[in-house]
């Protein structure tokens, strides 16, 4: 009888462990839905350089493949442009676009990668966005510094953190995610 009870207890514990581990694994997958910079997900972003044919309501993109593509710049309901960081001929751009019902290419988001690069600071962060997807942290005591960046389908990935770029200008960067809006100021080159 003692052997039967002992076997039953072992069987019950084993099934409890298996069930517990499976449910924890499922929960962990659901909780961590953010992407890492190196993850391989199809990217709809088109990369290239701002061309000379860029005007007030259109952007000419000389793609990395060498094609010249013109997009109509879309505005939101309040009349704000989808362009973040301005348009300057020769600047590197990331364009997220679609085709409208007339067959025209429409830019739904344009991010000026040249403007995005540089030194940025806030109350708790001080970092430099470098060309090639690298970030240099200037705070040695930071516990989880950003080391990589990427644009993926219009989102700005910093390591495991995913943001929308709400505003990008010559001196300010506003990033938003589920935790709120984070404001950064550009550090002048001579500082």
């Amino acid at each position: 009888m003692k052997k039967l009870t002992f076997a039953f207890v072992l069987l019950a514990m084993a099934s409890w462990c298996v069930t517990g581990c499976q449910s924890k694994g499922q929960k962990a997958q659901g909780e961590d839905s953010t992407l890492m910079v190196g993850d391989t997900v199809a990217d709809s972003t088109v990369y290239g350089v701002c061309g000379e044919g860029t005007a007030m309501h259109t952007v000419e993109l000389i793609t990395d493949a060498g094609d010249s593509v013109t997009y109509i710049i879309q505005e939101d309901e309040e009349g704000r442009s989808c362009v973040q960081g301005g348009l300057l001929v020769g600047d590197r751009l990331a364009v997220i676009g679609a085709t409208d019902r007339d067959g025209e290419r429409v830019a739904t988001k344009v991010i000026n990668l040249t403007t995005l690069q540089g030194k940025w600071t806030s109350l708790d962060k001080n970092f430099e966005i470098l060309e090639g997807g690298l970030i240099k942290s200037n705070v040695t005591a930071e516990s989880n510094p950003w080391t990589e960046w990427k644009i993926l389908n219009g989102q700005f990935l910093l390591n495991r953190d995913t943001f929308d770029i709400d505003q990008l200008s010559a001196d300010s960067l506003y990033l938003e995610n589920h935790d709120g809006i984070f404001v950064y100021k550009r550090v002048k080159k001579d500082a």
Side-chain angles (χ1 to χ4, degrees), residues 54-59 70-75 81 87 105 107:
T54 298
M56 189 172 188
H57 298 288
T58 59
V59 59
T70 301
Y71 293 90
I72 298 170
I73 298 173
Q74 189 175 35
E75 294 180 348
S81 172
L87 294 173
R105 288 190 176 104

Side-chain angles (χ1 to χ4, degrees), residues 71-184:
Y71 293 90
I72 298 170
I73 298 173
Q74 189 175 35
E75 294 180 348
D76 66 10
E77 301 83 32
E78 297 169 5
R80 292 181 301 208
S81 172
C82 67
V83 176
Q84 296 294 338
L87 294 173
L88 187 63
V89 173
D91 280 0
R92 185 138 176 84
L93 304 176
V95 177
I96 295 77
T99 304
D100 67 9
R101 57 185 140 197
D102 297 329
E104 298 283 339
R105 288 190 176 104
V106 177
T108 56
K109 186 178 277 190
V110 178
I111 301 168
N112 187 320
L113 301 177
T114 303
T115 303
L116 183 63
Q117 293 174 23
K119 294 181 180 181
W120 299 97
T121 188
S122 69
L123 293 175
D124 63 337
K125 296 255 187 208
N126 187 333
F127 59 94
E128 183 175 4
I129 299 173
L130 302 169
E131 190 172 347
L134 298 176
I135 295 180
K136 178 182 166 190
S137 177
N138 297 316
V139 179
T140 56
E142 190 173 349
S143 61
N144 190 18
W146 292 321
T147 58
E148 298 176 291
W149 70 274
K150 180 179 185 176
I151 300 294
L152 181 67
N153 297 321
Q155 303 242 285
F156 186 41
L157 276 59
L158 294 164
N159 291 5
R160 291 192 75 83
D161 299 328
T162 304
F163 296 96
D164 282 319
I165 298 176
D166 278 353
Q167 181 180 330
L168 172 61
S169 66
D171 62 354
S172 61
L173 172 64
Y174 290 57
L175 302 177
E176 182 175 7
N177 68 8
H178 60 278
D179 291 328
I181 297 177
F182 302 89
V183 179
Y184 302 94

Side-chain angles (χ1 to χ4, degrees), residues 37-50:
V37 170
D39 287 350
T40 54
V41 173
D43 187 9
S44 62
T45 311
V46 180
Y47 300 92
V49 175
C50 185

